[in-house]
Structure formats: C-alpha cells, structure tokens
Amino acid sequence: MSERSSKRGFASRPADPESWIKAPDRPAPRAEAAADFTARMTIDVTADMRGRIKIAAFQRGQTVADMLRALFEREFPTSEGEPR
C-alpha cells in the first residue's frame, strides 16, 4: 500500500522545477476589447427552440454563444458616444 503507482498522473512535474517556477508569465492573447468583461445571461426557451438554435449554429459552423452574440450585436448596436 505504501508503494507509488508507476502510472503518471494528469499533470507531470517539470524536469527542472526552478526554471519552470522562474519562467515569465505569458499574457493570454486578447480577442478584443469587449472581451474584457462578460456577463452571463439566462433565457428560457422551449426544448424545441433550443434544438433549432443548436442546429442552426452547427450548420453555420459556430457555437451557440457566438451566434447569439452576433445576433445581439446586430439587433442592439452601440449608439454613438456610448461607452463600449
């Protein structure tokens, strides 16, 4: 029971931990300024509508979230002078 398994775990330790710890953090690439803050929005739709939305997104090669963001952007454009 005190022996360790020879299987490796999900993440293995680096060979040289000191260089790994001291490595500079790389900032994540920015998609766009609007992605700085997002808020989750919940809506109620029927199971049938949800299915149609998912199929439409799949046929367009998009995620449901991306498709709905584009729809909202198109339907509710930013007014001139309004902060983004």
Side-chain angles (χ1 to χ4, degrees):
M1 290 271 267
S2 63
E3 290 183 36
R4 286 194 164 182
S5 171
S6 61
K7 284 197 235 176
R8 295 195 109 163
F10 174 73
S12 60
R13 292 183 178 153
D16 182 15
E18 285 302 311
S19 65
W20 178 68
I21 292 170
K22 293 177 183 177
D25 289 336
R26 292 190 179 104
R30 293 178 53 133
E32 60 180 49
D36 288 344
F37 174 77
T38 60
R40 187 165 300 260
M41 187 167 129
T42 304
I43 59 171
D44 294 324
V45 296
T46 63
D48 183 52
M49 175 62 76
R50 179 177 176 263
R52 292 195 318 257
I53 293 168
K54 288 177 75 171
I55 289 170
F58 179 77
Q59 289 172 336
R60 296 174 188 184
Q62 295 180 305
T63 64
V64 171
D66 288 338
M67 187 179 75
L68 292 176
R69 282 186 202 107
L71 171 73
F72 292 148
E73 194 63 40
R74 199 171 52 245
E75 291 297 317
F76 308 103
T78 305
S79 301
E80 285 297 317
E82 185 178 311
R84 264 189 151 301

